[in-house]
Amino acid sequence: MGNAGSYDDEVAGSPFNEALTSLPYRGEPLPRRHTLTREDVGLSQRGRLTHATLHVVAAKGYAATTIGDIVERAAVSRQTFYQHFPSKEACFLAAFDDGIEVVRDQLTVGLSQAGGDDWRSMVHATLRGYLELLAAEPAATWSMTVEIVAAGPECVARGIKSEMVFADLFRAIYAAARRQEPARPELPAELFEILVCGIVERVRRCLYTDGAEALPTLEPMFAETVFVLFGDRPAAISSPGASPGD
């Protein structure tokens, strides 16, 4: 697993950590006395299990991770695990889905803050938000990007499905680009899927070689790739003040 062992460190306060632990419990056992409803207790348990799964899988690898490892990290009983999930794979898939939801929500917020007046700013905001979020939660990123590939056909299929969600995001950005610059041609639907697959693969390589902390440095290269695929000439990106088509 290369340098994945260091990815067991938790990053308190990151959006990933806050959302994956569910409610305000941050992955910690509930106090002995509390006033929570049964539903809230169940949400807390589920949040701790999915959070624990991503961290244990990052540290040990999916194949070596056991349900015993997960419940020990989550501080719940094995019986509680089976009340929420029928198998390790089901728990891992739930954790993956939760993580994708966090990423999507954060990117949506970033896009809304960027505004729709400049599609290039939307590209930068999307990529910057995505890479900074992944860097802020390295254990979840390793599990969702590297271990998902080794976790079996169902997990691989889920990963591919999530990539299509982000392809739709870039389709929306290009639609904004065409509204702002009507001369831009319609692009094949598959191009957006290829773009996202390339981004994910380059993220995976960075995790292996330089670690999650280096992910934000990929943003300029990714942005340039998007601009070129959307019809800009490379010189238009590297030359300040240049316009598309100059």
Side-chain angles (χ1 to χ4, degrees):
M1 282 179 51
N3 58 356
S6 62
Y7 295 163
D8 194 39
D9 298 330
E10 297 184 31
V11 182
S14 77
F16 238 128
N17 194 57
E18 292 288 347
L20 289 176
T21 51
S22 181
L23 302 176
Y25 310 130
R26 305 176 61 83
E28 300 171 1
L30 293 176
R32 187 176 297 275
R33 293 184 179 182
H34 58 75
T35 59
L36 299 173
T37 66
R38 179 174 297 182
E39 180 182 5
D40 284 347
V41 171
L43 287 172
S44 174
Q45 292 169 340
R46 183 191 181 281
R48 297 205 307 274
L49 285 166
T50 55
H51 183 266
T53 297
L54 291 177
H55 282 262
V56 175
V57 166
K60 298 187 65 173
Y62 180 82
T65 295
T66 66
I67 291 175
D69 295 327
I70 296 170
V71 299
E72 180 180 3
R73 173 75 183 233
V76 302
S77 68
R78 188 178 290 264
Q79 179 182 5
T80 296
F81 178 94
Y82 284 112
Q83 288 173 354
H84 291 278
F85 304 107
S87 65
K88 177 181 77 170
E89 181 184 61
C91 186
F92 185 56
L93 286 172
F96 179 84
D97 289 344
D98 287 351
I100 291 299
E101 191 68 23
V102 172
V103 175
R104 182 166 54 189
D105 288 349
Q106 290 294 311
L107 294 187
T108 300
V109 170
L111 277 178
S112 66
Q113 293 174 344
D117 296 334
D118 180 4
W119 68 268
R120 292 176 184 82
S121 294
M122 296 170 68
V123 170
H124 281 296
T126 298
L127 292 170
R128 187 181 307 113
Y130 171 66
L131 294 170
E132 289 179 354
L133 183 57
L134 298 190
E137 191 63 47
T141 298
W142 181 272
S143 290
M144 294 172 60
T145 306
V146 176
E147 293 299 326
I148 192 75
V149 179
E154 180 63 27
C155 295
V156 171
R158 192 68 59 88
I160 293 172
K161 184 178 179 180
S162 73
E163 291 173 4
M164 299 307 100
V165 171
F166 296 115
D168 288 340
L169 186 63
F170 282 105
R171 287 190 186 96
I173 294 175
Y174 189 65
R178 294 189 71 199
R179 288 193 297 271
Q180 295 167 20
E181 302 168 16
R184 289 183 181 271
E186 185 173 354
L187 296 177
E190 293 81 3
L191 183 143
F192 301 96
E193 299 173 6
I194 293 170
L195 170 64
V196 171
C197 289
I199 288 173
V200 171
E201 185 55 41
R202 189 63 182 82
V203 165
R204 188 177 292 120
R205 185 198 302 180
C206 184
L207 291 174
Y208 273 113
T209 58
D210 300 317
E213 65 275 8
L215 287 173
T217 66
L218 301 177
E219 191 266 335
M221 177 180 65
F222 285 171
E224 180 170 353
T225 300
V226 174
F227 296 152
V228 172
L229 285 175
F230 284 8
D232 285 0
R233 292 190 301 182
I237 302 154
S238 56
S239 301
S243 310
D246 284 353

